[in-house]
PDB file of all heavy atoms in Angstrom:
ATOM      1  N   PHE A 801     -28.678   0.950  -3.210  1.00  0.00           N
ATOM      2  CA  PHE A 801     -27.729   0.610  -2.130  1.00  0.00           C
ATOM      3  C   PHE A 801     -27.686  -0.919  -2.023  1.00  0.00           C
ATOM      4  O   PHE A 801     -28.768  -1.554  -1.921  1.00  0.00           O
ATOM      5  CB  PHE A 801     -28.149   1.230  -0.812  1.00  0.00           C
ATOM      6  CG  PHE A 801     -27.058   1.857   0.014  1.00  0.00           C
ATOM      7  CD1 PHE A 801     -27.067   3.243   0.186  1.00  0.00           C
ATOM      8  CD2 PHE A 801     -25.977   1.106   0.508  1.00  0.00           C
ATOM      9  CE1 PHE A 801     -26.023   3.859   0.945  1.00  0.00           C
ATOM     10  CE2 PHE A 801     -24.999   1.664   1.225  1.00  0.00           C
ATOM     11  CZ  PHE A 801     -24.990   3.117   1.452  1.00  0.00           C
ATOM     12  N   ALA A 802     -26.499  -1.489  -1.923  1.00  0.00           N
ATOM     13  CA  ALA A 802     -26.395  -2.953  -1.798  1.00  0.00           C
ATOM     14  C   ALA A 802     -26.995  -3.389  -0.494  1.00  0.00           C
ATOM     15  O   ALA A 802     -26.791  -2.726   0.560  1.00  0.00           O
ATOM     16  CB  ALA A 802     -24.945  -3.380  -1.877  1.00  0.00           C
ATOM     17  N   PRO A 803     -27.704  -4.520  -0.447  1.00  0.00           N
ATOM     18  CA  PRO A 803     -28.255  -5.006   0.816  1.00  0.00           C
ATOM     19  C   PRO A 803     -27.201  -5.226   1.928  1.00  0.00           C
ATOM     20  O   PRO A 803     -27.568  -5.118   3.105  1.00  0.00           O
ATOM     21  CB  PRO A 803     -28.881  -6.337   0.363  1.00  0.00           C
ATOM     22  CG  PRO A 803     -29.229  -6.163  -1.024  1.00  0.00           C
ATOM     23  CD  PRO A 803     -28.126  -5.334  -1.600  1.00  0.00           C
ATOM     24  N   ASP A 804     -25.970  -5.538   1.534  1.00  0.00           N
ATOM     25  CA  ASP A 804     -24.924  -5.651   2.580  1.00  0.00           C
ATOM     26  C   ASP A 804     -24.287  -4.348   2.990  1.00  0.00           C
ATOM     27  O   ASP A 804     -23.431  -4.284   3.901  1.00  0.00           O
ATOM     28  CB  ASP A 804     -23.855  -6.635   2.171  1.00  0.00           C
ATOM     29  CG  ASP A 804     -23.027  -6.177   0.933  1.00  0.00           C
ATOM     30  OD1 ASP A 804     -23.241  -5.016   0.501  1.00  0.00           O
ATOM     31  OD2 ASP A 804     -22.247  -6.990   0.388  1.00  0.00           O
ATOM     32  N   GLY A 805     -24.727  -3.225   2.329  1.00  0.00           N
ATOM     33  CA  GLY A 805     -24.256  -1.909   2.702  1.00  0.00           C
ATOM     34  C   GLY A 805     -22.844  -1.576   2.244  1.00  0.00           C
ATOM     35  O   GLY A 805     -22.341  -0.487   2.599  1.00  0.00           O
ATOM     36  N   LYS A 806     -22.225  -2.425   1.402  1.00  0.00           N
ATOM     37  CA  LYS A 806     -20.850  -2.164   1.043  1.00  0.00           C
ATOM     38  C   LYS A 806     -20.675  -1.308  -0.188  1.00  0.00           C
ATOM     39  O   LYS A 806     -19.637  -0.671  -0.384  1.00  0.00           O
ATOM     40  CB  LYS A 806     -20.156  -3.553   0.883  1.00  0.00           C
ATOM     41  CG  LYS A 806     -19.993  -4.329   2.164  1.00  0.00           C
ATOM     42  CD  LYS A 806     -19.286  -5.609   1.938  1.00  0.00           C
ATOM     43  CE  LYS A 806     -19.088  -6.406   3.214  1.00  0.00           C
ATOM     44  NZ  LYS A 806     -18.393  -7.733   2.969  1.00  0.00           N
ATOM     45  N   THR A 807     -21.626  -1.330  -1.093  1.00  0.00           N
ATOM     46  CA  THR A 807     -21.426  -0.580  -2.340  1.00  0.00           C
ATOM     47  C   THR A 807     -22.758   0.170  -2.661  1.00  0.00           C
ATOM     48  O   THR A 807     -23.853  -0.145  -2.165  1.00  0.00           O
ATOM     49  CB  THR A 807     -21.129  -1.540  -3.540  1.00  0.00           C
ATOM     50  OG1 THR A 807     -22.184  -2.508  -3.633  1.00  0.00           O
ATOM     51  CG2 THR A 807     -19.796  -2.216  -3.272  1.00  0.00           C
ATOM     52  N   VAL A 808     -22.589   1.174  -3.558  1.00  0.00           N
ATOM     53  CA  VAL A 808     -23.681   1.922  -4.145  1.00  0.00           C
ATOM     54  C   VAL A 808     -23.589   1.845  -5.620  1.00  0.00           C
ATOM     55  O   VAL A 808     -22.517   2.097  -6.204  1.00  0.00           O
ATOM     56  CB  VAL A 808     -23.607   3.422  -3.613  1.00  0.00           C
ATOM     57  CG1 VAL A 808     -24.607   4.271  -4.382  1.00  0.00           C
ATOM     58  CG2 VAL A 808     -23.789   3.511  -2.164  1.00  0.00           C
ATOM     59  N   ALA A 809     -24.716   1.573  -6.249  1.00  0.00           N
ATOM     60  CA  ALA A 809     -24.725   1.509  -7.756  1.00  0.00           C
ATOM     61  C   ALA A 809     -25.589   2.622  -8.279  1.00  0.00           C
ATOM     62  O   ALA A 809     -26.538   3.113  -7.664  1.00  0.00           O
ATOM     63  CB  ALA A 809     -25.343   0.148  -8.220  1.00  0.00           C
ATOM     64  N   ALA A 810     -25.161   3.137  -9.472  1.00  0.00           N
ATOM     65  CA  ALA A 810     -25.925   4.186 -10.088  1.00  0.00           C
ATOM     66  C   ALA A 810     -25.959   3.973 -11.579  1.00  0.00           C
ATOM     67  O   ALA A 810     -25.066   3.337 -12.189  1.00  0.00           O
ATOM     68  CB  ALA A 810     -25.211   5.561  -9.824  1.00  0.00           C
ATOM     69  N   SER A 811     -27.007   4.403 -12.230  1.00  0.00           N
ATOM     70  CA  SER A 811     -27.153   4.372 -13.686  1.00  0.00           C
ATOM     71  C   SER A 811     -27.677   5.683 -14.218  1.00  0.00           C
ATOM     72  O   SER A 811     -28.277   6.442 -13.476  1.00  0.00           O
ATOM     73  CB  SER A 811     -28.068   3.206 -14.114  1.00  0.00           C
ATOM     74  OG  SER A 811     -29.376   3.423 -13.650  1.00  0.00           O
ATOM     75  N   GLY A 812     -27.410   5.942 -15.510  1.00  0.00           N
ATOM     76  CA  GLY A 812     -27.885   7.206 -16.056  1.00  0.00           C
ATOM     77  C   GLY A 812     -27.302   7.433 -17.432  1.00  0.00           C
ATOM     78  O   GLY A 812     -27.050   6.474 -18.157  1.00  0.00           O
ATOM     79  N   ALA A 813     -27.090   8.705 -17.761  1.00  0.00           N
ATOM     80  CA  ALA A 813     -26.642   9.095 -19.133  1.00  0.00           C
ATOM     81  C   ALA A 813     -25.334   9.841 -19.037  1.00  0.00           C
ATOM     82  O   ALA A 813     -24.846  10.113 -17.935  1.00  0.00           O
ATOM     83  CB  ALA A 813     -27.693   9.974 -19.762  1.00  0.00           C
ATOM     84  N   GLY A 814     -24.786  10.156 -20.173  1.00  0.00           N
ATOM     85  CA  GLY A 814     -23.531  10.878 -20.258  1.00  0.00           C
ATOM     86  C   GLY A 814     -22.487  10.139 -20.980  1.00  0.00           C
ATOM     87  O   GLY A 814     -22.631   8.953 -21.288  1.00  0.00           O
ATOM     88  N   THR A 815     -21.367  10.783 -21.319  1.00  0.00           N
ATOM     89  CA  THR A 815     -20.267  10.196 -22.016  1.00  0.00           C
ATOM     90  C   THR A 815     -19.521   9.287 -21.073  1.00  0.00           C
ATOM     91  O   THR A 815     -19.055   9.701 -19.992  1.00  0.00           O
ATOM     92  CB  THR A 815     -19.303  11.239 -22.572  1.00  0.00           C
ATOM     93  OG1 THR A 815     -20.029  12.082 -23.421  1.00  0.00           O
ATOM     94  CG2 THR A 815     -18.157  10.590 -23.334  1.00  0.00           C
ATOM     95  N   GLY A 816     -19.376   7.983 -21.432  1.00  0.00           N
ATOM     96  CA  GLY A 816     -18.712   7.048 -20.575  1.00  0.00           C
ATOM     97  C   GLY A 816     -19.613   5.952 -20.148  1.00  0.00           C
ATOM     98  O   GLY A 816     -20.750   5.797 -20.670  1.00  0.00           O
ATOM     99  N   CYS A 817     -19.198   5.084 -19.227  1.00  0.00           N
ATOM    100  CA  CYS A 817     -19.976   3.941 -18.780  1.00  0.00           C
ATOM    101  C   CYS A 817     -21.240   4.375 -18.075  1.00  0.00           C
ATOM    102  O   CYS A 817     -21.308   5.358 -17.329  1.00  0.00           O
ATOM    103  CB  CYS A 817     -19.145   3.096 -17.833  1.00  0.00           C
ATOM    104  SG  CYS A 817     -17.732   2.301 -18.635  1.00  0.00           S
ATOM    105  N   LYS A 818     -22.355   3.635 -18.354  1.00  0.00           N
ATOM    106  CA  LYS A 818     -23.661   4.047 -17.863  1.00  0.00           C
ATOM    107  C   LYS A 818     -24.066   3.344 -16.597  1.00  0.00           C
ATOM    108  O   LYS A 818     -25.130   3.596 -16.015  1.00  0.00           O
ATOM    109  CB  LYS A 818     -24.723   3.759 -18.981  1.00  0.00           C
ATOM    110  CG  LYS A 818     -24.412   4.437 -20.288  1.00  0.00           C
ATOM    111  CD  LYS A 818     -24.106   5.924 -20.146  1.00  0.00           C
ATOM    112  CE  LYS A 818     -23.997   6.605 -21.515  1.00  0.00           C
ATOM    113  NZ  LYS A 818     -22.860   6.083 -22.300  1.00  0.00           N
ATOM    114  N   ILE A 819     -23.272   2.457 -16.091  1.00  0.00           N
ATOM    115  CA  ILE A 819     -23.505   1.788 -14.794  1.00  0.00           C
ATOM    116  C   ILE A 819     -22.168   1.901 -14.022  1.00  0.00           C
ATOM    117  O   ILE A 819     -21.152   1.468 -14.506  1.00  0.00           O
ATOM    118  CB  ILE A 819     -23.912   0.286 -14.947  1.00  0.00           C
ATOM    119  CG1 ILE A 819     -25.135   0.157 -15.848  1.00  0.00           C
ATOM    120  CG2 ILE A 819     -24.181  -0.248 -13.567  1.00  0.00           C
ATOM    121  CD1 ILE A 819     -24.767  -0.321 -17.221  1.00  0.00           C
ATOM    122  N   ARG A 820     -22.290   2.490 -12.825  1.00  0.00           N
ATOM    123  CA  ARG A 820     -21.088   2.611 -11.994  1.00  0.00           C
ATOM    124  C   ARG A 820     -21.420   2.122 -10.599  1.00  0.00           C
ATOM    125  O   ARG A 820     -22.516   2.302 -10.090  1.00  0.00           O
ATOM    126  CB  ARG A 820     -20.551   4.051 -11.982  1.00  0.00           C
ATOM    127  CG  ARG A 820     -19.782   4.467 -13.214  1.00  0.00           C
ATOM    128  CD  ARG A 820     -19.184   5.781 -13.116  1.00  0.00           C
ATOM    129  NE  ARG A 820     -18.072   5.937 -14.036  1.00  0.00           N
ATOM    130  CZ  ARG A 820     -17.374   7.073 -14.248  1.00  0.00           C
ATOM    131  NH1 ARG A 820     -17.612   8.160 -13.514  1.00  0.00           N
ATOM    132  NH2 ARG A 820     -16.355   7.091 -15.092  1.00  0.00           N
ATOM    133  N   VAL A 821     -20.369   1.494  -9.977  1.00  0.00           N
ATOM    134  CA  VAL A 821     -20.514   0.987  -8.612  1.00  0.00           C
ATOM    135  C   VAL A 821     -19.444   1.625  -7.767  1.00  0.00           C
ATOM    136  O   VAL A 821     -18.272   1.670  -8.155  1.00  0.00           O
ATOM    137  CB  VAL A 821     -20.406  -0.516  -8.571  1.00  0.00           C
ATOM    138  CG1 VAL A 821     -20.476  -1.055  -7.118  1.00  0.00           C
ATOM    139  CG2 VAL A 821     -21.485  -1.207  -9.424  1.00  0.00           C
ATOM    140  N   TYR A 822     -19.858   2.206  -6.590  1.00  0.00           N
ATOM    141  CA  TYR A 822     -18.955   2.929  -5.722  1.00  0.00           C
ATOM    142  C   TYR A 822     -18.804   2.232  -4.365  1.00  0.00           C
ATOM    143  O   TYR A 822     -19.788   1.634  -3.898  1.00  0.00           O
ATOM    144  CB  TYR A 822     -19.474   4.338  -5.483  1.00  0.00           C
ATOM    145  CG  TYR A 822     -19.621   5.154  -6.735  1.00  0.00           C
ATOM    146  CD1 TYR A 822     -20.803   5.070  -7.486  1.00  0.00           C
ATOM    147  CD2 TYR A 822     -18.673   6.081  -7.150  1.00  0.00           C
ATOM    148  CE1 TYR A 822     -20.962   5.823  -8.639  1.00  0.00           C
ATOM    149  CE2 TYR A 822     -18.836   6.855  -8.283  1.00  0.00           C
ATOM    150  CZ  TYR A 822     -19.947   6.696  -9.052  1.00  0.00           C
ATOM    151  OH  TYR A 822     -20.127   7.425 -10.159  1.00  0.00           O
ATOM    152  N   ASP A 823     -17.639   2.301  -3.764  1.00  0.00           N
ATOM    153  CA  ASP A 823     -17.465   1.855  -2.414  1.00  0.00           C
ATOM    154  C   ASP A 823     -18.275   2.724  -1.484  1.00  0.00           C
ATOM    155  O   ASP A 823     -18.090   3.917  -1.442  1.00  0.00           O
ATOM    156  CB  ASP A 823     -16.000   1.867  -2.019  1.00  0.00           C
ATOM    157  CG  ASP A 823     -15.714   1.233  -0.726  1.00  0.00           C
ATOM    158  OD1 ASP A 823     -16.078   1.817   0.322  1.00  0.00           O
ATOM    159  OD2 ASP A 823     -15.098   0.162  -0.642  1.00  0.00           O
ATOM    160  N   ALA A 824     -19.145   2.155  -0.675  1.00  0.00           N
ATOM    161  CA  ALA A 824     -20.045   2.923   0.185  1.00  0.00           C
ATOM    162  C   ALA A 824     -19.346   3.640   1.283  1.00  0.00           C
ATOM    163  O   ALA A 824     -19.803   4.711   1.764  1.00  0.00           O
ATOM    164  CB  ALA A 824     -21.149   2.009   0.749  1.00  0.00           C
ATOM    165  N   SER A 825     -18.187   3.154   1.752  1.00  0.00           N
ATOM    166  CA  SER A 825     -17.464   3.829   2.842  1.00  0.00           C
ATOM    167  C   SER A 825     -16.628   4.994   2.404  1.00  0.00           C
ATOM    168  O   SER A 825     -16.475   5.919   3.099  1.00  0.00           O
ATOM    169  CB  SER A 825     -16.635   2.765   3.589  1.00  0.00           C
ATOM    170  OG  SER A 825     -15.707   2.220   2.749  1.00  0.00           O
ATOM    171  N   THR A 826     -16.114   4.892   1.162  1.00  0.00           N
ATOM    172  CA  THR A 826     -15.132   5.862   0.678  1.00  0.00           C
ATOM    173  C   THR A 826     -15.653   6.709  -0.508  1.00  0.00           C
ATOM    174  O   THR A 826     -15.093   7.806  -0.776  1.00  0.00           O
ATOM    175  CB  THR A 826     -13.817   5.266   0.282  1.00  0.00           C
ATOM    176  OG1 THR A 826     -14.032   4.400  -0.824  1.00  0.00           O
ATOM    177  CG2 THR A 826     -13.257   4.435   1.506  1.00  0.00           C
ATOM    178  N   GLY A 827     -16.594   6.168  -1.269  1.00  0.00           N
ATOM    179  CA  GLY A 827     -16.981   6.831  -2.487  1.00  0.00           C
ATOM    180  C   GLY A 827     -16.137   6.586  -3.665  1.00  0.00           C
ATOM    181  O   GLY A 827     -16.366   7.060  -4.772  1.00  0.00           O
ATOM    182  N   LYS A 828     -15.111   5.723  -3.458  1.00  0.00           N
ATOM    183  CA  LYS A 828     -14.191   5.383  -4.561  1.00  0.00           C
ATOM    184  C   LYS A 828     -14.896   4.510  -5.577  1.00  0.00           C
ATOM    185  O   LYS A 828     -15.609   3.614  -5.259  1.00  0.00           O
ATOM    186  CB  LYS A 828     -12.993   4.632  -4.008  1.00  0.00           C
ATOM    187  CG  LYS A 828     -11.929   4.268  -5.034  1.00  0.00           C
ATOM    188  CD  LYS A 828     -10.773   3.563  -4.367  1.00  0.00           C
ATOM    189  CE  LYS A 828      -9.746   3.108  -5.406  1.00  0.00           C
ATOM    190  NZ  LYS A 828      -8.601   2.364  -4.812  1.00  0.00           N
ATOM    191  N   LEU A 829     -14.652   4.867  -6.903  1.00  0.00           N
ATOM    192  CA  LEU A 829     -15.216   4.084  -7.956  1.00  0.00           C
ATOM    193  C   LEU A 829     -14.671   2.642  -7.918  1.00  0.00           C
ATOM    194  O   LEU A 829     -13.484   2.438  -7.945  1.00  0.00           O
ATOM    195  CB  LEU A 829     -14.892   4.721  -9.325  1.00  0.00           C
ATOM    196  CG  LEU A 829     -15.443   4.038 -10.553  1.00  0.00           C
ATOM    197  CD1 LEU A 829     -16.985   4.080 -10.552  1.00  0.00           C
ATOM    198  CD2 LEU A 829     -14.917   4.649 -11.836  1.00  0.00           C
ATOM    199  N   LYS A 830     -15.600   1.664  -7.867  1.00  0.00           N
ATOM    200  CA  LYS A 830     -15.219   0.268  -7.715  1.00  0.00           C
ATOM    201  C   LYS A 830     -15.220  -0.450  -9.054  1.00  0.00           C
ATOM    202  O   LYS A 830     -14.338  -1.273  -9.340  1.00  0.00           O
ATOM    203  CB  LYS A 830     -16.137  -0.376  -6.735  1.00  0.00           C
ATOM    204  CG  LYS A 830     -15.732  -1.792  -6.287  1.00  0.00           C
ATOM    205  CD  LYS A 830     -16.709  -2.350  -5.236  1.00  0.00           C
ATOM    206  CE  LYS A 830     -16.382  -3.749  -4.826  1.00  0.00           C
ATOM    207  NZ  LYS A 830     -15.106  -3.799  -4.061  1.00  0.00           N
ATOM    208  N   SER A 831     -16.255  -0.212  -9.872  1.00  0.00           N
ATOM    209  CA  SER A 831     -16.355  -0.890 -11.154  1.00  0.00           C
ATOM    210  C   SER A 831     -17.356  -0.111 -12.002  1.00  0.00           C
ATOM    211  O   SER A 831     -18.098   0.700 -11.572  1.00  0.00           O
ATOM    212  CB  SER A 831     -16.792  -2.347 -10.990  1.00  0.00           C
ATOM    213  OG  SER A 831     -18.031  -2.413 -10.351  1.00  0.00           O
ATOM    214  N   GLU A 832     -17.308  -0.426 -13.331  1.00  0.00           N
ATOM    215  CA  GLU A 832     -18.223   0.209 -14.243  1.00  0.00           C
ATOM    216  C   GLU A 832     -18.505  -0.675 -15.446  1.00  0.00           C
ATOM    217  O   GLU A 832     -17.776  -1.597 -15.728  1.00  0.00           O
ATOM    218  CB  GLU A 832     -17.618   1.572 -14.739  1.00  0.00           C
ATOM    219  CG  GLU A 832     -16.222   1.508 -15.273  1.00  0.00           C
ATOM    220  CD  GLU A 832     -15.658   2.901 -15.512  1.00  0.00           C
ATOM    221  OE1 GLU A 832     -16.326   3.904 -15.330  1.00  0.00           O
ATOM    222  OE2 GLU A 832     -14.481   2.929 -15.927  1.00  0.00           O
ATOM    223  N   LEU A 833     -19.575  -0.353 -16.123  1.00  0.00           N
ATOM    224  CA  LEU A 833     -20.029  -1.216 -17.228  1.00  0.00           C
ATOM    225  C   LEU A 833     -20.947  -0.430 -18.133  1.00  0.00           C
ATOM    226  O   LEU A 833     -21.587   0.554 -17.716  1.00  0.00           O
ATOM    227  CB  LEU A 833     -20.871  -2.371 -16.609  1.00  0.00           C
ATOM    228  CG  LEU A 833     -21.518  -3.376 -17.569  1.00  0.00           C
ATOM    229  CD1 LEU A 833     -20.476  -4.229 -18.265  1.00  0.00           C
ATOM    230  CD2 LEU A 833     -22.492  -4.256 -16.843  1.00  0.00           C
ATOM    231  N   GLY A 834     -20.961  -0.803 -19.420  1.00  0.00           N
ATOM    232  CA  GLY A 834     -21.941  -0.225 -20.375  1.00  0.00           C
ATOM    233  C   GLY A 834     -21.516   1.019 -21.042  1.00  0.00           C
ATOM    234  O   GLY A 834     -22.299   1.937 -21.253  1.00  0.00           O
ATOM    235  N   LYS A 835     -20.290   1.095 -21.500  1.00  0.00           N
ATOM    236  CA  LYS A 835     -19.762   2.300 -22.149  1.00  0.00           C
ATOM    237  C   LYS A 835     -20.500   2.652 -23.415  1.00  0.00           C
ATOM    238  O   LYS A 835     -20.783   3.807 -23.709  1.00  0.00           O
ATOM    239  CB  LYS A 835     -18.271   2.175 -22.445  1.00  0.00           C
ATOM    240  CG  LYS A 835     -17.643   3.377 -23.121  1.00  0.00           C
ATOM    241  CD  LYS A 835     -16.159   3.234 -23.312  1.00  0.00           C
ATOM    242  CE  LYS A 835     -15.456   3.315 -21.974  1.00  0.00           C
ATOM    243  NZ  LYS A 835     -13.950   3.315 -22.140  1.00  0.00           N
ATOM    244  N   SER A 836     -20.846   1.606 -24.193  1.00  0.00           N
ATOM    245  CA  SER A 836     -21.492   1.903 -25.494  1.00  0.00           C
ATOM    246  C   SER A 836     -22.999   2.045 -25.441  1.00  0.00           C
ATOM    247  O   SER A 836     -23.661   2.440 -26.384  1.00  0.00           O
ATOM    248  CB  SER A 836     -21.185   0.736 -26.476  1.00  0.00           C
ATOM    249  OG  SER A 836     -21.715  -0.503 -25.968  1.00  0.00           O
ATOM    250  N   ASN A 837     -23.565   1.797 -24.221  1.00  0.00           N
ATOM    251  CA  ASN A 837     -25.016   1.908 -24.110  1.00  0.00           C
ATOM    252  C   ASN A 837     -25.481   3.354 -23.951  1.00  0.00           C
ATOM    253  O   ASN A 837     -24.856   4.147 -23.316  1.00  0.00           O
ATOM    254  CB  ASN A 837     -25.489   1.107 -22.891  1.00  0.00           C
ATOM    255  CG  ASN A 837     -26.971   1.051 -22.815  1.00  0.00           C
ATOM    256  OD1 ASN A 837     -27.594   1.864 -22.091  1.00  0.00           O
ATOM    257  ND2 ASN A 837     -27.599   0.146 -23.521  1.00  0.00           N
ATOM    258  N   PRO A 838     -26.609   3.764 -24.577  1.00  0.00           N
ATOM    259  CA  PRO A 838     -27.080   5.130 -24.558  1.00  0.00           C
ATOM    260  C   PRO A 838     -27.610   5.563 -23.240  1.00  0.00           C
ATOM    261  O   PRO A 838     -27.779   6.762 -23.009  1.00  0.00           O
ATOM    262  CB  PRO A 838     -28.141   5.205 -25.656  1.00  0.00           C
ATOM    263  CG  PRO A 838     -28.603   3.785 -25.769  1.00  0.00           C
ATOM    264  CD  PRO A 838     -27.426   2.946 -25.523  1.00  0.00           C
ATOM    265  N   GLY A 839     -27.942   4.705 -22.327  1.00  0.00           N
ATOM    266  CA  GLY A 839     -28.458   5.116 -21.056  1.00  0.00           C
ATOM    267  C   GLY A 839     -28.959   3.982 -20.177  1.00  0.00           C
ATOM    268  O   GLY A 839     -29.624   3.055 -20.697  1.00  0.00           O
ATOM    269  N   GLY A 840     -28.651   4.032 -18.895  1.00  0.00           N
ATOM    270  CA  GLY A 840     -29.222   3.108 -17.906  1.00  0.00           C
ATOM    271  C   GLY A 840     -30.325   3.829 -17.168  1.00  0.00           C
ATOM    272  O   GLY A 840     -30.079   4.769 -16.450  1.00  0.00           O
ATOM    273  N   ASN A 841     -31.567   3.328 -17.294  1.00  0.00           N
ATOM    274  CA  ASN A 841     -32.682   4.018 -16.724  1.00  0.00           C
ATOM    275  C   ASN A 841     -33.001   3.647 -15.261  1.00  0.00           C
ATOM    276  O   ASN A 841     -33.567   4.479 -14.568  1.00  0.00           O
ATOM    277  CB  ASN A 841     -33.940   3.740 -17.594  1.00  0.00           C
ATOM    278  CG  ASN A 841     -33.757   4.226 -19.023  1.00  0.00           C
ATOM    279  OD1 ASN A 841     -33.241   5.314 -19.239  1.00  0.00           O
ATOM    280  ND2 ASN A 841     -34.194   3.415 -19.998  1.00  0.00           N
TER     281      ASN A 841
END
């Protein structure tokens, strides 16, 4: 959880980007990174 409470970040596995950031108030996907990486631990 971002210290300012505005966003939530997640990392993991699966097809697609391995780092995603969501708007904390709505859950809307805000940004993503790491499509070619095998996993964000």
